[in-house]
Structures are given as C-alpha cells and as structure tokens.
Amino acid sequence: MQTFHCSACQALLFFENTRCLSCGRVLAFHPLHMSMVTLEPDQNDTWRLVKGTSDAVAANTQGVRLCANYTAHSVCNWALAADEVDALCRACRLTHTLPDLSNPAHHEAWAKLETAKRRLVYALLSLELPLQNKVEAPSGGLQIDFLSDSLQPNGDQARVLTGHDDGLITINIAEADDVYREAQRKHQHEPYRTLLGHFRHEIGHYYWDRLIAGGARLDGFRALFGDERRDYQQALNQHYQQGAPQNWEDTYISAYASTHPWEDWAESWAHVMHMVHALETSHALGLSARPSRSDEPTLSIPDKPVLARIRNFDQLLQEWSALTYILNNLTRGLGLADAYPFVISATVIKKLRFVALAMAQVDGAPEGSNAPGIEPPQ
C-alpha cells in the first residue's frame, strides 16, 4: 500500500479514511489514479479535486462522483469519474449479493467485508491482473456474494460455505465477527485468520482458472503442486477426518495447503499477496534494515513498482526475511504474538516463486533456485 497525503494540508492518510482528520476535507480513493484524492463540492452531486503541491493528480480537472455505497450506506470510500454510467465504484460492482441489511449486525459485517475487499482490489489493480465483474465479462468475470447462515422451515440450519466456484466467491458474513473468526482459527489450528486472508485465498482460486487451467503453465503447476485432477471432495473429507500429514511444514505453506493441489495453490497465492502488500507498504514508508553482518538479509527502498519487484523473486524473498524479522521483533516488544508465525521451506519457496511469476504474468517461469528456506526468529 502506498503512502497517501491530503492534498489540502499534506496530513498523512489511511487508505480507509473518508475525511482528513487534520483539515476536515472529504476524501476518496480514485482507482483511475490509484491514489487518495481530496475533494470539494462541485455541482449536481459531483466533486472536484483539491490541488496540492505534492498531489500526483493535481493536473486532473475531471469531476468525480462518490460511490453510491459511500453516500447511501457509508461502507465505501471510493470515487468514480463523474461521467461513468454506474452508480457504484469498480470495487463495489464486484459484489453481487448481500445479506438482509435490515439486521444491523449484517450491515456492520458488510462494511468490514467491503473494507477488506477494497484492499484486495487495490492490490490486484497494482499487479495489473485481469479484473472484470460478471456483467462486463459473463464467462470469465468475478462475482462476490456475502451471505449468512439461515434457518430452514423445518428448523434445520442452512450453512453458507466460504469458497469459490467458476468466478463466484462466496463469503459467510460470520467471518466478519472477530469472536467467531478467532474461534474458527483455533478450531482449525491456523496461525492466523483474517477477512483479507479469506479474500486473498479465494481470489487465488479465481486466478488459477485464469492463469493456469488449460494453459502453458499447467505442466509446471503439476510438477510443483501435484495433479489437480485428484478427487477434490475426497481430499477435503480426508483432510477434515485425518488432518494434515506429518512434517507438512517441509512441503506446504500451511496445513490446509496439504489438502489438495488447488488449495496448495490458493494458500501460496494468498501468501505471495501477503508478502507483496506488506513490502510495498514498508517501501512506501521508507523502512529499511541495515544488518550488522554481510550474511544477514537487507530491506532496501527500491524505485521499482510492485509489478517489477515480484519478477525478481529472490530479492523479494530476501527483503521479506528482513521485514519479518522486524515485524516479529516489534510485536514481541509489544507483548503480542509473532506477526509472521510461518516457516518457509525450500520446497515452499519454489511454489511461491512459481505463483509470483504467474501473478506477474511472466511466461517460462524458471526452475527454483537454491535459495534456502527462511523462518521467523525463535
């Protein structure tokens, strides 16, 4: 995530801000510019951009409208061009189905889900990955449903399963409840469980269909992840009945990744997005690490965009090792659990590299290097 500033007063902004806490101006994220913009009223429910000395979009004079979910429901903070036909922004147009919003708890859950989804969409746009909704591309587009469990007329509970199927991502809104999600994390023996993590995992399934299935990368995928033609439901049943195999850490990024090649890919995809997004934020903030020994990893401040950086995966991995050392030292100093509780083996590194190069849409992904595995400090 880049660092954003208010155009009017230069105060630091968060990606989720709707008003500048320093000067009170209205804010919005404009996906066309990939930037937060400071706004002032224009006419006919449109807004014009406030021009600041360091505003990257200062030369733009086109008016904007606020997303309808911004103005009507306060669950969005994105803008769109004033002449666009749609009332919803690019991120909100991906959402197709909502739960019953007459329930206040559902509205709160929806707001949390949209917040996480916007960070996902920002990352996908930064990576220049194909991203269309099913209205724009019925056969290959993306659609997201936010649904809740319900009671059947006979009193049975109809559960909503979070998952992906042919471009449709379904998220159970119960995941927006922190208590429920933490209980599920413990039950599943997961190191962490977040809304953003759910989105990153499920979008990984979507991009497997777009980038791997039936294409030139399929043989390379099978060589690393296994044959996805293995019975999926049988694999799920086996995982939930028997758990992950012993020493799964030697081969997989998570226990759930051991379930099936599709889940291994999705977990690896989510992890690469996790790495790329955190490193982009650290670089934008000017964070660096100067080791005391030459054999220790370094974290530098590159002048390359995120898409160019993931093409050099070995450098990205070294910077990730340095950043996780910083993160875990900071959280331990705050009395918290490690921010990065993962061990990355040499086999997992090969999988992450394959995912990263597919994500960058680089053809002819090379074989894995001899880079050693990395792990958090003990």
Side-chain angles (χ1 to χ4, degrees), residues 66-268:
L66 300 180
C67 174
N69 283 340
Y70 190 157
T71 57
H73 301 289
S74 300
V75 297
C76 182
N77 70 332
W78 281 29
L80 59 162
D83 58 358
E84 284 196 51
V85 175
D86 292 286
L88 298 176
C89 71
R90 186 170 185 180
C92 286
R93 290 200 295 267
L94 293 172
T95 302
H96 177 259
T97 305
L98 299 175
D100 178 10
L101 296 180
S102 65
N103 184 334
H106 288 180
H107 190 282
E108 181 181 356
W110 177 38
K112 291 180 179 179
L113 287 160
E114 292 289 353
T115 297
K117 190 191 73 181
R118 287 195 298 277
R119 281 192 171 260
L120 173 79
V121 174
Y122 170 90
L124 298 176
L125 294 176
S126 297
L127 292 165
E128 300 179 15
L129 285 162
L131 183 63
Q132 294 176 294
N133 60 50
K134 280 193 172 292
V135 174
E136 299 164 334
S139 62
L142 178 66
Q143 177 176 305
I144 301 175
D145 287 355
F146 297 141
L147 303 176
S148 62
D149 295 341
S150 60
L151 287 178
Q152 303 277 30
N154 63 1
D156 292 340
Q157 187 177 52
R159 291 194 60 211
V160 171
L161 299 179
T162 294
H164 168 268
D165 181 23
D166 192 25
L168 169 63
I169 291 176
T170 301
I171 304 287
N172 189 327
I173 66 168
E175 291 289 344
D177 182 272
D178 295 339
V179 175
Y180 171 89
R181 194 173 61 253
E182 177 63 11
Q184 288 297 308
R185 185 193 70 79
K186 290 182 178 179
H187 178 70
Q188 302 290 345
H189 306 290
E190 297 171 337
Y192 81 109
R193 186 183 182 97
T194 66
L195 287 180
L196 186 52
H198 278 307
F199 279 110
R200 287 170 174 164
H201 176 97
E202 300 304 338
I203 204 69
H205 287 299
Y206 171 74
Y207 282 110
W208 191 91
D209 290 344
R210 299 295 302 273
L211 302 176
I212 305 297
R217 300 183 183 95
L218 185 56
D219 288 342
F221 167 84
R222 288 174 177 167
L224 277 175
F225 295 86
D227 193 335
E228 82 289 352
R229 292 169 292 189
R230 171 188 170 198
D231 188 279
Y232 180 71
Q233 189 58 53
Q234 183 180 12
L236 280 179
N237 294 340
Q238 180 177 327
H239 174 77
Y240 287 119
Q241 291 168 8
Q242 303 177 15
Q246 285 189 340
N247 302 319
W248 60 263
E249 298 95 337
D250 296 339
T251 311
Y252 303 99
I253 190 62
S254 70
Y256 188 62
S258 68
T259 303
H260 185 275
W262 281 335
E263 298 303 340
D264 194 5
W265 162 270
E267 286 287 270
S268 299

Side-chain angles (χ1 to χ4, degrees), residues 2 4 28-37 49 55-64 79-81 122 125:
Q2 293 297 312
F4 303 114
F29 178 79
H30 200 325
L32 178 63
H33 304 292
M34 293 296 287
S35 178
M36 294 292 291
V37 292
L49 277 59
D55 188 356
V57 294
N60 186 278
T61 58
Q62 183 185 28
V64 301
L80 59 162
Y122 170 90
L125 294 176

Side-chain angles (χ1 to χ4, degrees), residues 315-352:
Q315 180 181 347
L316 183 144
L317 188 67
Q318 288 298 310
E319 293 187 340
W320 182 242
S321 179
L323 179 59
T324 56
Y325 177 80
I326 295 170
L327 289 173
N328 286 350
N329 263 339
L330 286 172
T331 53
R332 290 182 186 193
L334 294 171
L336 302 174
D338 283 350
Y340 189 71
F342 294 90
V343 175
I344 304 184
S345 70
T347 299
V348 170
I349 285 175
K350 293 180 181 180
K351 294 178 179 180
L352 297 180

